[in-house]
Amino acid sequence: PNEPIDPLKIDEVITICEPVLPNPLSQEEREHVIFTIHSQFTIDLQHKGTVLGNPDVKRWLDNAKTEIEWTYWRAYRDYLASDQGRAERIIEENERIIDNILDYSGDPRIEGSWSRKGLVMGNVQSGKTQNYLGLINKAMDAGYKIIILLGGHMNDLRKQTQERVDEGVIGRESAHIVQANLGIQNRIGVGKYRSEDVATVTSTVGDFNRNTANNLGIALNSLSDPIIFTVKKNTSILKNLYEWIKTKHMLDVEDGKKLDLPLLLIDDEADFASVNTKAHRDDITATNKYIRQIIGLFNRSTYVAYTATPFANIFINPETTDEMYGDDLFPRDFMIRVPVPDNYLGQNFYFENQDYEEINPVVIIDDNKDMIPIKHNTMTSVGPLSASMKDSIRAFIISCSLRDARGHVNEHKTMMVNITHLNALQGQLTPMIEDYLKTLKNSIDNVINYSIDDVLANSTIGSFHETFQSKFNVDETFEDVLKTIRKAIHKIKVYGINTQSKQVLDYSIYPDGLSAIVIGGHKLSRGLTLEGLSVSYFARNSKAYDTLMQMCRWFGYRPNYGDLCKVYLPIESNEWYTFIAEAINELYEELEIMNLLEKTPMEFGLKVRDHQGSLIVTARTKMETAENSIVTI
């Protein structure tokens, strides 16, 4: 483990193994296998995790490790290595961070009354989900019985989170459990590596429902297995969950009657909705109130906030408390940054060294306002597709073609278009993109069997050639693109994803890979993972650091196609992102300094670089306790 392996050696082993395969590997498949195996042993860490803890918290895990059977964790580890192809070094470093989170959390074996609160930070699309699923598995092994996961604020996001919980925690399809299809025992994900069960009331077909819980006969104080609730961060859902736990188990917090079971509550995207934004802190926003009330129903609890944009969370007043709702959600016990593998493409990949690269992953656009002006409303008419929009669509088709040539035929491929939050304008834009895609398909169908000179004489193919020459720096030639482009382009579907659209983006129903151009706004701006995202066309005028960074769905892991990733941005957005990237790097440096000085979240103030122009760190209602200071560097 962790030592590079010569690709030639891998090729030799493939040759030895090949006779037992049903069919010989094509050259593309062989190269894909070599790349995948080689990556497992060469991926290192761009940044190790950072741990900042409260020394007053009693550390317990080291003494308990040999007393705990790590059944759930071992199954999850095997799942990551075998099914997900995670590099050994990355699994090991994530385990180190998870152990630290668990160590600063409460020991679930200790009776009495205790509460812990912490914050886990990680870049957009950098592996936070993998980290908290690992934490859940280790926590269940250690003795946490009740797991509540706040998995997104919209149905699509919660469903996507539930699917990952099914694979990474439950080990079975939650829909079958909740619908009482006891005869159907589809073991998936971790379920292939263990026989132990995990109960659930939520599923891919439904959020928490009191009737479902009662029909299943669920009572928290009589469960033999751990139970996980994957719920939407929605006030009505949280209220129902709170009232069901309270009434079902006859609890009375004021009279001291609480559940004597250890609770782990994980708040994904914790900077969204969870933070109390009331102007007068004697008031409490509904989501914040119900999270605190749910925690208050348990004698023993750990609250862990996960976010890629922690600006709002670090500005929570650590002194805020309330007799009825308990302490606010300030992470007083620990702040932890998850490790970043060196194959992660984040803000540094896109927004550093732009002046030194001939062909950049960021493409500056200046004609997006011709389609949709900066100031627009539901009555605005979307103009003709701009030249840059057409160029980005061609770039996506080229990237699909090249990925197919690299052996990714059956993998998902996505392009994102996010230039307005208004559903009505997205509805105008979607058929326009469909029409342009249709025109490109027809042109390719008409010339694909001609010679290269004849093909290039076609104006449409000529535009493809120009996009390839100006936007890509790859080993392949344009002739390589043309070999696979017809199949690639005919596989592409166009989706308008918003609350008014009936279209559903479900990658799971496409086992041979989905290629999609996805047009949306709010739904694409937070939490939703777009599989195989390679080209993004983005022009939004939000001015908060955290909102802008959450829109970066183009961050993430792009194995063997990082050189095909493009983001089309206006110059102002590019400048803003470059500035925010510096601010985030400084925030993480601040954590490192705090760690070296052995300071705690409570005693050492965090600072975030302020933009002197129009950007703000986070919503002003979330920054009431923040102060401006001039720091000489």
Side-chain angles (χ1 to χ4, degrees), residues 100-259:
N100 274 283
I101 299 170
L102 198 55
D103 204 14
Y104 279 107
S105 301
D107 182 349
R109 304 168 304 167
I110 300 297
E111 301 291 335
S113 179
W114 47 259
S115 174
R116 301 282 185 270
K117 290 184 176 70
L119 172 67
V120 180
M121 296 165 268
N123 288 11
V124 174
Q125 302 288 309
S126 68
K128 296 186 300 301
T129 305
Q130 174 183 312
N131 188 274
Y132 69 61
L133 292 180
L135 173 62
I136 290 171
N137 279 285
K138 280 216 168 194
M140 293 190 304
D141 282 323
Y144 278 90
K145 285 292 187 183
I146 316 298
I147 314 293
I148 297 175
L149 171 58
L150 307 185
H153 63 290
M154 302 178 80
N155 289 329
D156 289 357
L157 304 185
R158 193 212 68 85
K159 181 175 183 287
Q160 187 178 73
T161 303
Q162 181 74 62
E163 288 170 350
R164 293 179 177 181
V165 167
D166 286 5
E167 291 188 341
V169 177
I170 299 172
R172 290 189 291 156
E173 295 178 10
S174 55
H176 293 160
I177 299 172
V178 171
Q179 293 174 345
N181 293 328
L182 301 180
I184 304 175
Q185 296 291 326
N186 288 12
R187 288 280 172 181
I188 60 173
V190 292
K192 295 183 286 186
Y193 302 96
R194 62 165 165 78
S195 57
E196 288 75 10
D197 285 327
V198 177
T200 183
V201 179
T202 62
S203 72
T204 50
V205 295
D207 205 331
F208 175 76
N209 181 284
R210 297 171 75 166
N211 291 334
T212 302
N214 291 330
N215 291 340
L216 288 171
I218 298 291
L220 300 182
N221 47 14
S222 62
L223 285 170
S224 56
D225 301 316
I227 186 169
I228 182 167
F229 300 82
T230 307
V231 299
K232 186 163 67 263
K233 197 185 298 188
N234 171 280
T235 52
S236 63
I237 296 291
L238 293 175
K239 180 182 179 183
N240 282 336
L241 179 59
Y242 164 73
E243 291 179 346
W244 176 79
I245 295 174
K246 183 180 178 181
T247 56
K248 176 76 175 179
H249 305 88
M250 294 180 289
L251 306 178
D252 187 338
V253 174
E254 293 182 15
D255 199 30
K257 293 179 181 177
K258 300 184 180 183
L259 266 176

Side-chain angles (χ1 to χ4, degrees), residues 429-435 437-438 441 491-497 503 514-519:
L429 193 60
T430 301
M432 294 167 66
I433 290 176
E434 285 179 322
D435 287 344
L437 184 64
K438 202 176 298 180
K441 287 178 180 177
K491 199 174 178 180
I492 297 172
K493 301 177 185 295
V494 179
Y495 290 81
I497 301 298
Q503 286 188 293
L514 172 64
S515 295
I517 298 176
V518 183
I519 300 106

Side-chain angles (χ1 to χ4, degrees), residues 263-279:
L263 163 74
L264 174 63
L265 194 153
I266 291 178
D267 185 358
D268 194 15
E269 307 290 348
D271 62 299
F272 183 85
S274 304
V275 178
N276 185 19
T277 57
K278 288 288 186 183

Side-chain angles (χ1 to χ4, degrees), residues 295-310:
I295 292 170
L297 293 174
F298 294 80
N299 275 324
R300 297 174 281 165
S301 66
T302 294
Y303 168 85
V304 186
Y306 275 79
T307 180
T309 47

Side-chain angles (χ1 to χ4, degrees), residues 281 312-321 328-330 622 625:
R281 286 310 193 256
N313 302 79
I314 65 176
F315 289 133
I316 296 172
N317 187 346
E319 307 299 332
T320 302
T321 188
D328 206 348
L329 305 177
F330 181 79
K622 298 178 182 179
T625 59

Side-chain angles (χ1 to χ4, degrees), residues 30 217 293:
R30 178 179 284 263
Q293 282 188 317

Side-chain angles (χ1 to χ4, degrees), residues 429-497:
L429 193 60
T430 301
M432 294 167 66
I433 290 176
E434 285 179 322
D435 287 344
Y436 182 62
L437 184 64
K438 202 176 298 180
T439 299
L440 296 177
K441 287 178 180 177
N442 291 337
S443 293
I444 287 172
D445 284 343
N446 290 334
V447 301
I448 201 65
N449 294 321
Y450 287 70
S451 68
I452 185 64
D453 291 335
D454 292 333
V455 166
L456 289 176
N458 178 282
S459 60
T460 303
I461 305 301
S463 65
F464 270 107
H465 185 252
E466 194 280 328
T467 299
F468 177 77
Q469 293 287 87
S470 62
K471 305 300 185 304
F472 293 91
N473 183 12
V474 295
D475 293 334
E476 293 91 345
T477 65
F478 188 62
E479 285 83 350
D480 294 323
V481 173
L482 293 177
K483 289 175 186 175
T484 49
I485 195 170
R486 187 166 185 262
K487 182 174 182 179
I489 193 172
H490 276 280
K491 199 174 178 180
I492 297 172
K493 301 177 185 295
V494 179
Y495 290 81
I497 301 298

